[in-house]
Amino acid sequence: MDLTILMDKFNVKGRLVALTQFGNGNINDTYLAIYRNTFTENQVVLQKVNNLVFPHPEEIMENMHAVTRHCHEKLEADAVAGRDDRVWQMPRIIKAKDSSDYVVDEKGDIWRVITRIMSAHAFDVAQGPEHALECGAALGHFHYLISDLDPSVLKDPLPGFHVTSGYLAEYDATLATPEAKALLGASMEAKRLAKFIDERRSFALCLEGAVARGELSRRMFHGDPKVNNIMIDDVTGKGTAMIDLDTVSPGLVHVDFGDALRSICNPAGEEEQNLSKVVFDEDLCTAFCKGYMREAGSFMTDADRAYLYDSIRLLPFELGLRFFRDYLAGNVYFKTSRPEQNLNRARVQFRLCESIEARERSIRNLLGKL
Ligand code: GN1
Ligand code: MG
């Protein structure tokens, strides 16, 4: 697909002067497009919505429309009322020239253009406690923004997303294939990871059990609040926007909480090769929680608080399981640039999970002070 011809179908002012690959997402293909005219520059983000991951990409766009409309209205009302200590931002959909929210190419793929959050950046790893605190504030504020979004206006973007029992079932089904058996048989490390999973099968159901017992209930969640989906203002250093809104839907805020922490408290990052560098950083955790609670603490019930530790332990386990299953299935879900990449990603997440388990008392203690 000629991307310049594609860009021409969208309503962006100015002349297209650059179009380059952008970001480090594992799912969608993302490009930055720069437009100039006599007085200004306009930077926008072009994305192909991954139709292997998302079964109905057009519904992803309907959801994005509903989420951004709801949040923009709320953000504007809060700004007018002077309720905020900063400008919170959110990407906007740029319409195609035919007024639709996306363009379908000749292969049937769905492309969208959204505004770029200017003078702000996201980082692949936490830069320190101040950054972690701002990530917490951004996620907490986002939870506030979506808390009153009507769930019935959203379609399920990704059935089974963050349902750990489902990932276990998928893993077991993959393990039964000859290809997976061969990969497992050929590697001591893969066997070690399989054992790691087996030892935690009942723990893996902790949040689902709490929902079934009525202790936790679903609210709205982001679904993918890892550190590089949290934009930080270049000028003030404050959190300013959550991006990657594809998975906003009814879910447990615990999943977001655990997912953000598994990414923020691992400064070695998701691709680290040297496992001894993968350690859960409690100072970053404390800072994140402080920022999060400042914005969203009032939503937290005692039952919610009781499951925070489990969510911190569960999300690296779950992501490690997803990476490992994908490795055994031949790398069909997460983008990879080498065959062992998903195996290594799984090793990192499981090491992080172990590091959390080793610090359980201390993490529970810091959570108890929130
Ligand atoms: C995927 O596309 P990206 O990189 O934002 C994945 C997340 C994982 C993350 C791990 C829809 O997110 O769940 O935590 O990779 N998104 C989906 O890097 O599966
Ligand atoms: Mg994503």
Side-chain angles (χ1 to χ4, degrees), residues 24-28 53-54 158 161-162 223-224 226 228-229 244 247 259 262 270 319 322-323 333-334:
N24 290 333
N26 290 331
I27 306 291
N28 296 323
V53 167
F54 297 112
L158 197 48
F161 191 46
H162 289 304
D224 188 8
K226 65 180 184 183
N228 63 12
N229 282 333
D244 193 353
T247 47
D259 201 43
R262 65 122 197 109
E270 291 181 20
L319 183 58
R322 294 171 64 199
F323 282 144
Y333 185 98
F334 296 101

Side-chain angles (χ1 to χ4, degrees), residues 63 146 154-157 161 219-223 247-251:
N63 283 358
I146 58 174
L154 297 181
K155 309 258 169 56
D156 186 352
F161 191 46
R219 307 208 277 261
M220 282 288 158
F221 82 160
H222 178 281
T247 47
V248 175
S249 51

Side-chain angles (χ1 to χ4, degrees), residues 55 71 91 267 313 332 370:
C71 295
R313 181 182 170 204
V332 290
L370 295 175

